[in-house]
Structures are given as structure tokens and as C-alpha cells.
Amino acid sequence: MEKTWRWFGKKDSISLSDLRQIGVEGVVTALHHIPTGEVWPVEEILDLKRYIEQSGLRWSVVESLPVAEAVKYAGKDRRRLIENYKKSLENLGRCGVTTVCYNFMPVIDWIRTDLHRQQADGTYTLYFDKARFAYFDIHILERKNAEADYSAEILKQVGELAKTITQREKDELIDTIIVKTQGFINGNIREGDLNPVAIFKSLLANYKGIDRDALRENLKYFLENVIPTAEEYGVNLCIHPDDPPFSVLGLPRIVTCEADIDWFLNAVDNPHNGLTFCAGSLSSGAHNDVPALARKFASRTHFVHLRSANVLPNGDFVEAPHLAGRAHLIELIRIFHPYPALPMRVDHGPLLLSDKDKNYNPGYSFLGRMKALAEVSGLMAAVDYYDK
Ligand code: DNO
């Protein structure tokens, strides 16, 4: 696998020369300033590509070329938005940037309730607390019939929490779930937006009546339209699994398990229609056997995210150290070893040492990710030596 790193563009406080020093070979990035749904122009792609190449690196993967909400809920603008998406794919292909990651999660991308959960060793990691999330859904969003989606045990915990939670904790929960984790990757809500809860509710309203089958239909329609362009310009599209891999806030999620991935790959059975194998997202669903999924889907995988999670008995999940947890990175590295050109990035990292004083995007610390990359590089070297 090729060692890549998610880098947030020229404004990222981590420089490309830093990345060279720690063994990174390729960069994963996006034209973050272009609003979702607009065309990525050739000049801008080439400008960033040249900038990356001047540092002796390559632009290996686009993460992400985001899919506009109206494509996911089949709004009236969907045809125009899909044409724009195709044009961006064409432009990327013409510029030689040929691996493109995206996701098809309605309204909300990845979800965590706590960005600083201290671990026994003193580092801080990301955490999903099921009861706190249910509190957010029931008492902050006040979603109609939300209670019906939670067990009696969780509802009991929500009731307890409602008695003790402070305004500060509520504000932090809102900021974590719909601003901090979302703002830097999808344009729906940005840091500084007034009343993010109101914006969020109006986005949710677009999905009224869209169930699992309808969302699948819309994904299939999108793929049928964009995959021929991807094929023509030599681009490999790779969908990111849903994180977490289960339905939330009454929204369907459709890339969560083996059956979903099977459906997706068969919906348009073309090698350009592939998967981002995000070991972290998949391992945060207790139903997934991550190495078994990797064995089954390796040949349609265009991009790998290496990270691991632990699912706790109460349904919470926590991001584990990269060499621990449910994802079994050693096994995954063996499975992907026969694909030397496959881009891989270590995904997320704890806040380690001075990381916590910096203002990194959640999950994208420097020292924490550097340690993970060193661990993964060691495993790769060992597998290379023994599994020739
Ligand atoms: C969070 C990431 C997501 C992911 C996008 C892909 O850290 O896993 O932002 O990159 O969903 O489209």
C-alpha cells in the first residue's frame, strides 16, 4: 500500500515538508474552499497538484468530492448537480488525480459525542456515547417520535442525564455533533453559523419520506450517471462506509455491512465503482467482522483507512489504539499487501503530548497520527518481509 496522509490544503498547520520527514508518500486532500455542488476547475486542481509535487509528494486521493444533499434526497436540482459532479470527475481525470472518495450519508457525516475522552495512558480519543446522542436527538433536536428508536435502558439514562446536564454541556454537545465534526469536511454547517440546530433541523426535513429503499434508489441513480464518466476519464470512485454503521436520527444509512456493500458494488458492477475500506467505521459496528470484509472486498477497494474501534457492552464505541481494537490491522495489512499501489492513510489519531494544545481538526492530530503511521509502517515492513 502507498502511505498517504490527510492534509487540509495550503492552510494546514502541518506542512508537506513535515510529511516528507515522517515517511508519507502521497497526500489525501480536496479543494476544500469550493462549495459542494460546484465544478472543480482544471486550473485549481493543477495549482494544488503542482504545489504538492514540489514537495516530492503526489496527490494520491481526493477526499472528498462531496455529494450535494439534493442528490441524496432527489431534490429538483439533482440533474444539474450530477452534471457538475461529472465535470469535476472529468477535470480530475484529465489532471491525473484518479482516486476519488465520497460518501452518501444524509445530512450528517461521521458522528461523535466527545472529542476529548481521556484514556488511562493520558492521551485523549474520540468517543460515541449512545445515551448522550439520544439526549441530543430527543431533547435538543426534539425530533418527533425519536423515543421509539431507543431501548428502555437508554431512555432511562437519558432521563437521568436530563436532570443533571448543564447548559454548557448541552452547547458542547451541539458544537461537537453538528459543528466541529462536520464543518471542516462538509459544507452543510460551518463554524460561526448562528443557530446550527435550526439549520440542522431544516436539513433533516428534506429527508421526510426517504427510507432505506428510496436512498438506495437515489444512490443507484447517482452511480448510473457518474460511473460512465469515471470510466471514460480513468477515475476510481470509492464510497466511504457510514460512520457509525447504523441508522441515526431517523435517517437511513445504507453502507453499513457486508450485505450493503454487496448491494452497492452490484448496483453498478464496474471496477470504477469501488469502496473506501474504512476499518474504523466498519469496526464500530458490532455486526462487522472487519478482516472478513477486507478479504471479500479487497479487489474492489480503491482506498484504505486504517484505524480501529472498540464497541462497549452498552453500545457506546471508542476509537482504540491502532494496534488494538476490533479492526485487526495486522490482518488487514496482510490482506491488502498484494496491492502495492493502493493508497492507505492512517485514519484519526489520539491527542498525544503537545497535540492537545493545538487546534487540529478533530481526529487529525499530528503526533497521534505520526505514531500510528510509524506503527503501521512497521507492520507493513514485517508483512513485506515475511509474506513475500
Ligand atoms: C472523518 C472521516 C470522514 C470521511 C468522509 C468521506 O474523519 O472519516 O470525514 O472522510 O465521510 O467522504
Side-chain angles (χ1 to χ4, degrees), residues 116 118 122 124 351-360 365:
H116 306 103
Q118 191 161 22
Y124 297 85
L351 292 174
L352 184 71
L353 304 172
S354 63
D355 280 339
K356 69 176 189 318
D357 308 321
K358 308 274 171 57
N359 198 20
Y360 295 127
S365 60

Side-chain angles (χ1 to χ4, degrees), residues 6 63-64 101-103 105 109-110 181 184-185 240-241 243 278 281 305 307 345 347-348 362 364:
R6 193 173 198 183
E63 183 177 4
S64 302
C101 170
Y102 67 101
N103 72 75
M105 290 178 257
D109 195 304
W110 64 310
T181 47
F184 72 101
I185 34 140
H240 188 286
D243 179 1
C278 179
S281 307
H305 285 182
R307 149 171 94 75
R345 70 169 175 86
D347 192 16
H348 301 174
Y364 294 92

